[in-house]
Each structure stands twice: as structure tokens, then as C-alpha cells.
Amino acid sequence: MRQRLFESATLKLTGWYLLVLAIISLMFSIVLYQVSIAEVERRLERYQEQSQMLYHPPPQDNLSSPDTIRNKELISAKANVILVLVYTNIVVLLLGGVVSYLFARKTLEPIEAAHEQQARFISDASHELRTPLAAMTTELEVALRDPSLTKKEMRELLESNLEEVQRLTKLSHTLLSLSTGKDAKLAFTPIDLTKAILSARKKTQVPDSRIHVMLPKSSTFVTGNEESIRELIAILLDNALKYSPEDSTVRVQLRENNGRAEVSISNKGRGILPDELPQIFDRFYRSEASRSSEGYGLGLSLARQISDLHQANLSVSSEPGVITTFEFSLPITHPRQQS
């Protein structure tokens, strides 16, 4: 259905291109015809004048008179010009049709890709929403059919459903952020990146030994949307904690390099395989190593989107089994520029 829709749109767009080309070609042909015939008439008039000077007296045969010859040549010239223009327009329209179709395909490619991405996004989102809803429905149906359900069991059921509701709330929030992020009008202000990192560190609520933070001696300021930058750091930090052993240390480092503030977050663990690296920022993508963990595969996609909005050059490198590092950078804004 989708393929037929875009094929139909391609043919319609090709038709419009051809219509425009035909109008331009027709107008050009009319102008060319008028110019060509005017030139032919000018030359025939000159020929007639020269003929009249040579023939004294004028020939008695009307068929060989200058006027007759002039009219015949003019009619022949008009027919030849029309014939040439007709053949030329046919060739132009045939070639134009091919080129128009290629241009139409090229024009619709981004729209088709966006449509396909949207359809895939809706399909994936529906699947992810269906899973917790199905679990909640099953638990509630089983509970309703059990007449001997105790108060303790009912409490456990409600707590389980509340947990699923919280996960659904988080998922819907992330989906909303992803759907509006590219068109968002974010307010950019100076941000103390040091405080943003410490705030994200505090939100993790893990032991101090789990995260090692390395910061410059003085605060580092950048320009951006503070809430989004905090979210970006929190996503990368949460991802590093989630996919590393509980007894390992996640390292967060902020450094200044050539006028840019560079934030890197590293962890030790299984890492990311080379063939998975290009896909980890895709929506709903989860590597084989992360299938058993909680999450929807949306965090890094949102991180990429925030990075793109700030032109923060988010990148990842991984040596499987050794270390994985996510890094982004922003131009430094000096404190005196905040006024």
C-alpha cells in the first residue's frame, strides 16, 4: 500500500514537472518560430529586391516571378521550422519525462524515508506499550478470578501494576520528547557544566564508590538548554551504570580542550561489538547483551537528539570486555560573557 502510494505520488509529480516543461518548451518554440520566420522573411525580401534589379523587364511567367518564388520559399521555410520544432519538442518531452521521473523520485526519497521511519516508530512504540499492558491485564484477570486472594497478595499485585504504570509513564515521556525534540524551541542560557554533572551524579542514588568524577579546579560554563544537558548527562550515566558490573567504577571526566568542554563517561563491562556501534543510537535498538535488562532502547536515541540540537558531537568508542566511552563536547562560554 505504501509503495503504491509513493509510486502514484511520483507519477503525479512527474506529470507536473512535464507540464511545466511542456509550457516552457511551447513558449520557447513560439518565440523561436517567430524569430526564425522573421529572419527568413528578411532574407527573402532582400532576395526579391535583388531579383527586381536583375530582371528588366520582369519575367512574364508568374511561376518564376520574385513574388511567387518568395511565397513558395516562405511557405517551405515555415513548414520546415514547424517540423523541426515538433521533433525537437518530442525529444525534449521524452528526455524530460525520464529526467522528471528521476527528479520526482529524488524529491520524494526523504519524505518516503521519513514516512517509513514514522511507521516503524509507531509499530515499535505500539509493541513496547503492549508488553506492560498485557502483563497488567493478565495479573488483574488472574486476581479477579481468584476468590481466595489475600490482602498481602492484593498489595503485591497493586505494587506490581504501579511499577508497570511508572514504566509506561517514563516511556510516554520519552516518546513525547523524541517526537517533539527536533522541532523544539529550546531556550539557551549559560550552564555551569560542573554543577550539571554533580546533579546527575546525585540523581543516580548509588554509592560514592560506584562513580568517580573528575572535574577541573574551576567551573566550566557552556551555552545550551540546562534541562536538556542535564538529561543528556543523566542518560549516559544511567546507561554506563546499567551495563557494567556492580562492583566496577564508572568514570565521569570533564576537561577543557581547545576552547571546548569535553565530557566523557566510561565504564567497564562487556562493551559494544563493532557491528552494533552504528545502531546503538537508533530508536528501540537493544544489543543482544542488553536484552535481559530493563529499558526500551530509547535513552541513547534521546541522547543523540539532544546532542544534535546542541551540536555537541556525541560519539562512542568501545573495546569489548575492556572499556566503553561516550563523549560529547560543547564550546566553552566564559563567565564574563554571561551578562
Side-chain angles (χ1 to χ4, degrees), residues 239-255:
N239 190 75
L241 291 168
K242 186 183 297 182
Y243 300 116
S244 62
E246 293 185 1
D247 57 350
S248 65
T249 301
V250 172
R251 296 184 179 275
V252 182
Q253 183 177 12
L254 169 62
R255 57 184 179 275

Side-chain angles (χ1 to χ4, degrees), residues 110-159:
I111 301 174
E112 186 175 5
H115 187 275
E116 183 178 352
Q117 184 180 14
Q118 183 185 43
R120 186 170 60 251
F121 177 69
I122 293 173
S123 175
D124 291 341
S126 300
H127 174 74
E128 295 295 340
L129 288 168
R130 191 185 305 116
T131 302
L133 288 173
M136 293 172 62
T137 302
T138 301
E139 289 182 349
L140 290 172
E141 287 178 348
V142 170
L144 289 173
R145 292 172 183 173
D146 186 3
S148 60
L149 190 68
T150 63
K151 185 177 180 180
K152 180 181 179 181
E153 291 172 336
M154 178 61 74
R155 182 178 182 83
E156 291 175 352
L157 173 64
L158 292 175
E159 289 176 349

Side-chain angles (χ1 to χ4, degrees), residues 11 16 29 43-44 54 102 113 122 148 151 223 249 258 324:
L11 294 176
W16 281 109
S29 297
R43 293 190 179 189
L44 288 174
L54 293 174
L102 294 176
I122 293 173
S148 60
K151 185 177 180 180
T223 299
T249 301
N258 294 327
T324 298

